[in-house]
Amino acid sequence: MLGCHDLGRAPENALVVSVEQQSSWVRRFNPLSPMATPRWPSKGGIYETLMTFNSAKESWVGVLATGFSWDESGTVLRLVLRKQVKWSDGSLFSADDVLFTFELMRTHPGLDTGGVWKHLESVSMTDAGLEFQFKAVHAPLFDGIVQTPIVPKHIWTKVEDPVRYADESPVGTGPFTQVLRFDPMIYELGANPHYWEPGIPKVKRLRFPAYSSNDQATLALVRGEVDWAGNFVPAIDTTYVRKDPDHRRYWFARTGTMVFLYLNQLVDLFKDVDVRRAISCSIDRERLVDIAMFGYTRSAFQSPYSDGFAKWEKSPDQKITGCESLVQKSRDALKNAKPLEILVVSGWSDWVRAAQLVARDLAALGLDVKVRTLEFGTWFGRVQNGDFDMSIGWSAEGSTPYQLMRGLMDPKLALAAGEKSVQNWHRYGDEEAGRLLEILARTVDEKKSLEIVHQLEDRFYATLPSIPLFPNPSWAVFNESNYTGFPDPKTPYAGGSPNALPEAALVLKRLAPVESQP
């Protein structure tokens, strides 16, 4: 019952954050574990990374590292570490902790979810910090290295199984490290008493109620019970902002990931590119954006890019030509197809509505499609293991389109059914795209990189391995009654969404109680 979801009054000094929609919390803060998603804000807020990418300004921000340099060969990356940093238990942070973290990932490959050690030869300490020796030029490795959360050697060296380690009482260098309360429905974190940036954080307590759906999170927002949220809110100007326009606002930048309808290539009928095009042709994008997304975003037809990748785009998005004949041809081929399912996460009301509209549109092709909603963990396990017909899902982010294109078309990631795939859930591989991705990884010249990215875009248009639907807005809803300092388009010191970690930790460090403002 929506109206009965009462999680109690927050302590007066708590910043209430709505993120990670779950029906209950599991106490788990291990930022490296591949077993399950750690609680927010483990990556960045508890365990800091060396650097963080500011998606709003498309620039890197130093955190535990203050600078970096390359040698002429492009195979040696040197990082300068910040001095006078302490762990939250008062121990001194050093380059030895960084070295330990990467060695931990090397000796426990399950922790190396980004595959850093596939391309890394060695890590060693220097007078100023660390030196990373690459096996060969591999430009995307920079992102993986500098965004690895660093764990304390003096704690983790005693952990017997770091892959399964829950890390219930974390010791980090981040601004919020103290677990003040942890219940299935609410947990609270306190400020790190030894944080390295003087006077930061000004917020002293974070509170996380468990909202299992957009509806529950929206109700809490409307009641004024949440300060910062990262969820879809229907008709936000009338349902939320109008009730207190002096303090309530939002920033739905279209820089989130592209949302796709993934067609599992293990299903025979989806192996035909003309069938994939016909499916795309059958979807009424304008209705999808207007009804499911309340007009917060735009339609996408063939381009895999959200606005965050605009500078990499070769040509503006365009509709597929010859739709009428494609639909007619595919309708004949699909008339005897078995019933199909679209999987989507329960409670994500915008995507559930989008899936329902897509299912209805596909009836025009003669397809019998049902929408199946699943709890997040179940849904995530099934798409990663290739156990689905169709699914609505997000795509990869990054400072370049490399990871996005890799997740969509790299044949090396097209795994068999039952094998867990972090990317490429739909199991699609294109040999030419794979060749271009290898060249792109070896290229450090920006002009040449752009040329290769354009060729990858051509391959995406030619093969349409997944169906673009719309750029997902970077959901960011603010209530500044108690805390101010949230970013916006005029002050883009970070993107505004709490969903984006470790970037969201930059926001946590800027927020301040209203009474402390000059």
Side-chain angles (χ1 to χ4, degrees):
M1 291 289 289
L2 195 61
C4 295
H5 192 82
D6 185 358
L7 296 175
R9 184 180 297 276
E12 290 186 358
N13 64 341
L15 175 84
V16 182
V17 185
S18 171
V19 70
E20 277 195 278
Q21 290 180 358
Q22 303 272 352
S23 56
S24 63
W25 301 126
V26 176
R27 186 164 176 162
R28 182 169 48 217
F29 295 98
N30 182 345
L32 300 172
S33 175
M35 306 300 292
T37 304
R39 294 283 70 77
W40 200 93
S42 294
K43 184 176 180 179
I46 296 175
Y47 293 100
E48 292 185 305
T49 56
L50 297 165
M51 304 188 80
T52 295
F53 188 67
N54 177 346
S55 63
K57 297 180 70 174
E58 298 188 24
S59 60
W60 289 99
V61 179
V63 185
L64 291 176
T66 59
F68 68 92
S69 61
W70 294 93
D71 79 339
E72 291 182 355
S73 71
T75 61
V76 177
L77 171 66
R78 298 186 180 91
L79 291 168
V80 178
L81 287 193
R82 188 178 300 280
K83 300 182 184 301
Q84 302 302 316
V85 174
K86 289 184 177 180
W87 295 99
S88 53
D89 64 358
S91 302
L92 194 62
F93 161 83
S94 73
D96 204 25
D97 293 304
V98 183
L99 185 63
F100 170 80
T101 300
F102 280 90
E103 279 299 301
L104 195 67
M105 293 162 59
R106 186 182 67 79
T107 55
H108 297 80
L111 301 176
D112 187 12
T113 54
V116 167
W117 280 101
K118 290 180 181 176
H119 308 283
L120 196 58
E121 181 68 34
S122 63
V123 186
S124 57
M125 288 190 283
T126 66
D127 290 342
L130 278 301
E131 180 175 286
F132 295 82
Q133 174 71 57
F134 292 17
K135 294 176 180 175
V137 173
H138 191 79
L141 187 54
F142 178 84
D143 292 31
I145 288 174
V146 303
Q147 295 201 100
T148 292
I150 305 303
V151 299
K153 179 180 178 180
H154 69 284
I155 301 291
W156 283 61
T157 195
K158 303 170 188 171
V159 176
E160 291 186 2
D161 186 352
V163 175
R164 298 182 182 278
Y165 180 46
D167 192 18
E168 295 185 349
S169 300
V171 173
T173 62
F176 291 94
T177 54
Q178 312 304 103
V179 182
L180 303 178
R181 172 184 177 182
F182 204 101
D183 300 329
M185 300 304 293
I186 293 174
Y187 69 96
E188 295 178 354
L189 300 180
N192 179 354
H194 301 284
Y195 195 60
W196 51 266
E197 193 168 354
I200 301 296
K202 291 184 172 61
V203 177
K204 300 304 179 187
R205 192 183 193 100
L206 305 178
R207 179 180 170 96
F208 305 92
Y211 302 121
S212 63
S213 68
N214 286 335
D215 291 341
Q216 289 184 348
T218 297
L219 183 60
L221 274 164
V222 171
R223 287 174 169 172
E225 297 170 355
V226 173
D227 300 295
W228 188 19
N231 58 275
F232 164 83
V233 179
I236 190 167
D237 286 309
T238 53
T239 60
Y240 178 70
V241 176
R242 193 171 65 180
K243 296 180 183 301
D244 186 1
D246 290 339
H247 299 104
R248 297 184 178 190
R249 61 184 180 89
Y250 62 95
W251 183 18
F252 291 168
R254 295 173 183 173
T255 54
T257 64
M258 178 61 72
V259 175
F260 287 93
L261 176 66
Y262 288 105
L263 309 177
N264 190 344
Q265 296 299 302
L266 300 177
V267 178
D268 285 341
L269 66 90
F270 295 146
K271 293 178 179 176
D272 185 339
V273 66
D274 281 346
V275 168
R276 299 197 293 271
R277 288 197 179 102
I279 287 173
S280 183
C281 286
S282 301
I283 298 172
D284 184 341
R285 303 298 204 290
E286 290 186 6
R287 190 177 58 166
L288 202 66
V289 167
D290 287 345
I291 296 177
M293 303 304 296
F294 277 77
Y296 296 145
T297 184
R298 61 172 170 81
S299 301
F301 299 95
Q302 295 189 82
S303 173
Y305 294 137
S306 72
D307 294 6
F309 285 127
K311 73 176 185 181
W312 297 91
E313 197 167 42
K314 178 182 178 182
S315 55
D317 191 18
Q318 52 194 293
K319 294 182 178 179
I320 295 172
T321 58
C323 272
E324 187 175 344
S325 61
L326 280 167
V327 168
Q328 181 58 49
K329 174 185 169 185
S330 296
R331 187 183 290 128
D332 294 339
L334 297 175
K335 60 185 178 184
N336 296 319
K338 68 178 182 63
L340 300 167
E341 286 184 339
I342 300 177
L343 301 190
V344 66
V345 179
S346 59
W348 293 11
S349 55
D350 48 343
W351 287 16
V352 171
R353 174 62 71 183
Q356 292 168 339
L357 292 170
V358 168
R360 187 184 306 173
D361 288 340
L362 295 187
L365 276 177
L367 289 173
D368 179 6
V369 179
K370 299 289 189 300
V371 175
R372 185 169 186 182
T373 60
L374 299 171
E375 181 273 331
F376 176 81
T378 304
W379 170 83
F380 203 35
R382 287 191 59 175
V383 295
Q384 287 190 315
N385 287 308
D387 182 17
F388 67 99
D389 301 322
M390 296 180 273
S391 182
I392 290 184
W394 62 80
S395 48
E397 297 176 296
S399 61
T400 76
Y402 174 81
Q403 293 295 348
L404 169 66
M405 291 300 195
R406 189 164 178 252
L408 292 169
M409 296 187 288
D410 190 346
K412 293 178 181 175
L413 300 181
L415 305 180
E419 291 187 48
K420 183 177 179 179
S421 181
V422 177
Q423 302 182 67
N424 203 334
W425 299 331
H426 51 299
R427 270 68 180 161
Y428 182 84
D430 177 71
E431 294 298 330
E432 175 60 12
R435 186 186 71 82
L436 291 168
L437 284 163
E438 289 183 2
I439 298 173
L440 180 60
R442 297 195 302 267
T443 303
V444 293
D445 181 87
E446 290 187 8
K447 185 177 179 182
K448 290 182 179 177
S449 294
L450 184 60
E451 292 173 358
I452 299 166
V453 168
H454 286 173
Q455 292 177 63
L456 283 164
E457 183 180 321
D458 290 341
R459 289 308 301 166
F460 186 86
Y461 270 67
T463 60
L464 198 66
S466 303
I467 312 300
L469 297 177
F470 48 80
N472 205 34
S474 186
W475 306 113
V477 186
F478 315 117
N479 184 338
E480 296 186 308
S481 299
N482 301 311
Y483 291 94
T484 61
F486 292 102
D488 59 33
K490 294 181 180 178
T491 54
Y493 65 85
S497 175
N499 299 319
L501 286 173
E503 184 182 12
L506 300 177
V507 180
L508 287 176
K509 296 201 296 181
R510 286 287 194 100
L511 299 180
V514 169
E515 60 267 27
S516 72
Q517 300 298 303

